[in-house]
Amino acid sequence: MCQISKMNHQMPKHKHQIVPNPKPWGSIRSSLHSLIAVLVATLLVATVYLTQEYGVQFLEDCTASTTVKTSEDSCNLFSGKWVFDNQSYPLYKGLQCTYMSDQLACEKFGRKDLSFQNWRWQPHQCDLPRFNATALLERLRNKRLVYVGDSLNRNQWVSMVCLIESAVPPELKSMYTNGSLTTFKATEYNATIEFYWAPLLVESNSDHPMNHRLPERIVRVQAIEKHARHWTDADFLVFNSYLWWRRSMMSVLWGSFESSDGIYREVGMPRVYEMALKTWSDWLEVHVNPNKTKLFFVSMSPTHQSAEEWGVTTGENCYGETEPIKEEGYKGNASDPKMMRVVENVLGELKTRGLDVQILNITQLSEYRKEGHPSIYRKQWDALTEKQLAKPSSFADCIHWCLPGVPDVWNELLYAYIFQMTG
């Protein structure tokens, strides 16, 4: 099984001797050199100490993944390339998925170039295990797999349901919704794959699963229980939260929405994001049993809203794109490294308290896939204007992902970790 592991850093042992200075009033240059050497050595020692003792994993431009130890049984699943493979992919047929979302059903809504479905993610040092729906259902027997977050996490959840549901007879599967929680159930296995709408993880005025597009976004950074009580006994929790934080300031409420004496303050990024994740991590520490529940956090899903980033005409976006980006290490401007560092720091601190959250670092591998978005090939909830129809790129969705497509690979990565953790 391919896995991710940290490199074992060992500090060389040196004997330090104090030698009297024959020139107690030596040159300033010599003193400065000595001071710089001490500062550099201190920084190196601190970095290695943090890595060894606390499991802190620093991100380079928010796309570097866990440091790996290369051996026959471990590799970096997030470092690789896309390989065209129309023999093995897609893993399911979108038109045959019972629970496909019209927001993601690109073929159903007229997309003709379907080669975006045929790309396989190939890690540099190993192969991803082949997704097996029946084997995963066995691992999920009598268990709950819950995705918590925004519409991109729902995108991944729909992908998982489509990957799974073909292995379940029609009379032995169901889907039902209760408020913000939607549940797919495989009755024979007593297994559920669920999605809970909480785009900011903590409470906000955008928590309604349908009516959440509001002119002003308000967040209660210290309140999470209303959401979290729905996740308490889950066996696998997959979180994400990024897209809804992409603004310079956020209105923060101390108090309740129902109270007239609440205190409102404007707080900047990424500080407000950090405050919310701290509340989330504190809840996990208190309520999650690490012997029962496995935790994941999905990194930023990149957008492709500006074609200038990959060298195409100004003012365009993912509309009309049919090929992935080939430049290795390509990074768009929409993925904010400061935000991901906040996640890394919060998870590093949580690890020191005995709770391990695995990052699914999907950012870099998804950066390449500018052609994988719905663009104009989805259900349009509002009637299009003549101006929009004259310029299709003006209403192209370059945020979410067509299915089958990129999120299937996110779930293949999750699949690999679930088998590693439960094997």
Side-chain angles (χ1 to χ4, degrees):
M1 174 63 64
C2 296
Q3 62 183 8
I4 294 180
S5 56
K6 293 190 295 183
M7 187 175 291
N8 183 23
H9 296 275
Q10 293 185 348
M11 290 294 293
K13 296 181 179 179
H14 297 287
K15 294 182 179 179
H16 299 278
Q17 294 180 326
I18 300 176
V19 180
N21 187 352
K23 296 181 180 180
W25 304 102
S27 68
I28 295 176
R29 179 181 299 176
S30 177
S31 299
L32 285 173
H33 285 174
S34 299
L35 178 60
I36 290 170
V38 170
L39 289 173
V40 170
T42 301
L43 179 61
L44 287 172
V45 170
T47 301
V48 172
Y49 177 79
L50 283 171
T51 303
Q52 284 185 312
E53 296 298 315
Y54 296 103
V56 177
Q57 299 156 355
F58 297 96
L59 286 177
E60 179 69 23
D61 295 332
C62 86
T63 57
S65 52
T66 312
T67 305
V68 297
K69 178 178 69 176
T70 55
S71 68
E72 293 182 358
D73 62 351
S74 66
C75 78
N76 183 349
L77 296 178
F78 309 117
S79 177
K81 63 181 180 179
W82 289 98
V83 176
F84 188 76
D85 180 358
N86 60 3
Q87 300 299 310
S88 305
Y89 287 77
L91 296 173
Y92 57 90
K93 294 183 178 180
L95 294 178
Q96 295 179 5
C97 178
T98 309
Y99 304 106
M100 177 63 72
S101 165
D102 282 350
Q103 185 182 29
L104 316 169
C106 302
E107 184 178 3
K108 175 181 176 181
F109 286 91
R111 184 162 181 173
K112 301 302 181 185
D113 60 302
L114 300 179
S115 61
F116 69 89
Q117 300 180 355
N118 303 130
W119 292 90
R120 170 172 54 83
W121 179 247
Q122 178 61 59
H124 288 313
Q125 299 167 334
C126 66
D127 296 321
L128 271 176
R130 177 73 176 175
F131 190 94
N132 184 314
T134 303
L136 181 57
L137 283 167
E138 283 293 350
R139 295 296 173 105
L140 295 179
R141 185 180 289 277
N142 300 318
K143 291 181 171 59
R144 296 178 67 200
L145 165 59
V146 184
Y147 294 80
V148 179
D150 59 23
S151 57
L152 285 159
N153 222 20
R154 181 169 57 207
N155 204 158
Q156 186 176 356
W157 169 75
V158 174
S159 160
M160 181 61 89
V161 171
C162 289
L163 284 163
I164 286 287
E165 65 106 16
S166 63
V168 183
E171 68 276 11
L172 294 177
K173 59 188 173 187
S174 61
M175 181 83 79
Y176 51 92
T177 298
N178 181 13
S180 295
L181 184 66
T182 303
T183 302
F184 168 82
K185 184 170 185 177
T187 308
E188 180 183 358
Y189 297 89
N190 191 32
T192 60
I193 302 170
E194 306 168 41
F195 171 73
Y196 186 90
W197 172 261
L200 299 159
L201 295 183
V202 293
E203 292 181 30
S204 75
N205 65 340
S206 299
D207 287 342
H208 193 281
M210 301 299 293
N211 303 317
H212 44 250
R213 294 292 179 183
L214 304 173
E216 182 184 14
R217 197 161 296 164
I218 303 171
V219 60
R220 297 181 66 205
V221 291
Q222 294 181 323
I224 197 171
E225 183 60 32
K226 183 182 80 173
H227 298 321
R229 59 190 176 87
H230 296 281
W231 326 325
T232 303
D233 64 344
D235 300 276
F236 301 95
L237 278 168
V238 183
F239 296 97
N240 92 316
S241 189
Y242 169 67
L243 187 66
W244 285 63
W245 297 96
R246 291 199 313 168
R247 48 185 62 201
S248 60
M249 304 286 288
M250 187 83 80
S251 182
V252 177
L253 167 63
W254 281 269
S256 69
F257 288 108
E258 295 76 19
S259 174
S260 59
D261 58 358
I263 299 173
Y264 292 83
R265 292 286 185 273
E266 292 291 316
V267 182
M269 285 303 159
R271 175 56 182 151
V272 64
Y273 185 56
E274 181 181 31
M275 293 165 69
L277 287 185
K278 181 67 166 59
T279 297
W280 167 79
S281 68
D282 286 346
W283 183 90
L284 291 178
E285 181 187 10
V286 172
H287 294 90
V288 166
N289 177 0
N291 295 321
K292 169 183 169 64
T293 303
K294 309 304 179 186
L295 302 167
F296 301 88
F297 195 99
V298 183
S299 69
M300 299 173 291
S301 173
T303 64
H304 294 91
Q305 296 174 298
S306 177
E308 292 177 78
E309 295 177 9
W310 57 89
V312 184
T313 310
T314 301
E316 294 302 318
N317 50 31
C318 70
Y319 172 69
E321 295 291 344
T322 59
E323 293 285 334
I325 294 168
K326 300 295 174 59
E327 176 191 347
E328 186 169 1
Y330 166 83
K331 298 177 181 66
N333 296 329
S335 300
D336 186 349
K338 296 189 296 295
M339 301 283 280
M340 201 57 205
R341 289 190 183 102
V342 168
V343 174
E344 286 270 304
N345 291 336
V346 169
L347 299 192
E349 181 183 347
L350 196 55
K351 189 178 181 67
T352 69
R353 292 181 271 162
L355 207 58
D356 195 8
V357 181
Q358 173 62 53
I359 290 182
L360 289 182
N361 194 356
I362 56 90
T363 306
Q364 182 62 72
L365 66 90
S366 306
E367 286 275 17
Y368 302 118
R369 298 300 304 276
K370 60 181 170 56
E371 90 300 358
H373 301 283
S375 183
I376 64 172
Y377 303 104
R378 63 182 181 89
K379 183 175 181 177
Q380 303 298 330
W381 309 106
D382 300 311
L384 298 172
T385 65
E386 290 186 8
K387 185 177 180 180
Q388 287 176 313
L389 291 170
K391 188 179 181 181
S393 61
S394 67
F395 64 92
D397 178 355
C398 300
I399 297 174
H400 301 96
W401 301 92
C402 293
L403 293 178
V406 174
D408 299 331
V409 171
W410 304 350
N411 281 320
E412 286 184 279
L413 294 165
L414 177 63
Y415 174 91
Y417 275 107
I418 288 175
F419 271 75
Q420 174 187 304
M421 293 171 170
T422 60

